[in-house]
Amino acid sequence: MDQLIATKQNSVGEIIVSSRELHEFLEVETPFRKWFPRMTEYGFVEGVDYTLDIFVHPLNKQETADFLLKLDMAKEIAMLQRTEKGKQARQYFLHLERMWNSPDMVIKRAMDFQQQKIVMLETQIQEDKPYTEFGKVVSMSDGAINIGAFAKLIYDKHGINIGRNKLLSWMRDSGYLIKQEGAEKNLPKQKFIERGWFKVRPTVVKRTSGDIQTGTTLVTGKGQVELTNILLSAFSEKAI
């Protein structure tokens, strides 16, 4: 059977139909903006039977609403028209359904799904590449180090010639560490702790007026990888 109406698959592999293309095929005289809301009154539920799809119309370049229908809804709408076109559409959808559920198609979908998993795995490997290049074991470990040790590490491994004090200044100016004077100066901002870039090791400073509780900023393995990539882009040995 020739393709009467274009179809595609949604994210879970179900056949879906454009409501606008179906409206056009059925040659309904009622404008689409009035017709589709009437069709939904037959008990169809958004998010279950159909989903909203916004696209840029190729003619007027305006954002336009379409609705992607599951096959059961498309069949029922076609039947509701009670026209020859409606009958043709319903027969076409029934044919698609039979083909879709045939053993060959079931096997093909399983193979396609497996191929998608392979592609996703390959993509993940590429995304993980920066970690493997700098030592993914370190990035995932709890091997947090202080700022001075991190400054030495990036110089030894990457030639970024920046000492502890300059590195602290850069981290403050870049918004990673707290700038304000006081006990919290040079401690990491909370959002970067939550990202897993930093840890704070509690420290007690003994003074004659009384002990003060403060903290030492440590760069985690993940933070070392992320910050090194940023520093490599921001600095060169000549510039520092």
Side-chain angles (χ1 to χ4, degrees), residues 191-202:
K191 63 181 178 180
F192 294 106
I193 294 177
E194 292 173 356
R195 289 184 190 179
W197 291 19
F198 297 99
K199 294 174 64 177
V200 176
R201 182 176 62 204

Side-chain angles (χ1 to χ4, degrees), residues 2 7 12 35 54 62 121 126 151 163 178 185 187 196 213-214 221 236:
D2 294 334
T7 62
V12 295
W35 172 79
I54 303 296
Q62 299 294 315
L121 179 60
Q126 289 302 313
I178 295 171
K185 184 178 181 181
L187 292 184
Q213 174 97 19
T214 182
S236 69

